[in-house]
Amino acid sequence: MKIIIGSDHGGYDLKLEIIEHLKTRGFEVIDVGSDSDASTDYPIYAKKLTDILTEYITANNIDYDALGILVCGTGIGMSMAANKVEGIRAALCHDTFSAEATREHNNANVLCMGARVIGPGLALKVVDTFIDTPFSKDERHVRRISMYS
Ligand code: RB5
């Protein structure tokens, strides 16, 4: 599976820890920036990530094997920006229950987290839960997701 990841300055340090963890697990990781903890604008990186993920979804239709992770200070701005893009279902999760549920029920394709909200230990568990949980493909969830737009 391909993991596309991005952050602003607020999420930069946590992003580096997540990348290290994902590489240890053997995932291919694409980092869209930012490249430092210098102040920047989070929508730039939400856009870069969703551009790549959208291309990947379009090319591979339903069976795309890619997910996104966006980290800012709160995760809120990233989730708002990412959810403006058609085909993107970004979920703000700071606990493993939500991460599991949003993959099973909402088929979320982007995980958003706030580095000023969550510590790295729990963040990595949230990441693992999000990546390791498949969409249930239950008819009622497919129907509800189709009602988003
Ligand atoms: C940056 O200070 C902060 O606003 C940003 O990281 C994020 O929390 C926005 O939602």
Side-chain angles (χ1 to χ4, degrees), residues 39-132:
S39 183
T40 186
D41 301 326
Y42 61 83
I44 295 169
Y45 305 98
K47 174 82 169 64
K48 283 175 188 266
L49 183 144
T50 54
D51 278 353
I52 295 174
L53 187 55
T54 302
E55 254 178 51
Y56 204 76
I57 293 168
T58 308
N60 296 274
N61 201 2
I62 283 167
D63 292 323
Y64 62 91
D65 202 15
L67 291 170
I69 300 174
L70 286 167
V71 192
C72 62
T74 61
I76 298 169
M78 284 293 201
S79 62
M80 288 179 170
N83 275 319
K84 292 284 181 192
V85 180
E86 195 181 339
I88 297 299
R89 292 176 300 280
L92 176 62
C93 301
H94 293 122
D95 66 275
T96 55
F97 176 82
S98 300
E100 184 177 51
T102 198
R103 289 286 303 128
E104 278 179 4
H105 294 210
N106 315 120
N107 198 12
N109 49 21
V110 178
L111 168 66
C112 299
M113 289 187 296
R116 296 174 189 154
V117 180
I118 192 170
L122 180 55
L124 296 184
K125 287 202 181 297
V126 171
V127 165
D128 284 343
T129 304
F130 187 82
I131 289 170
D132 295 340

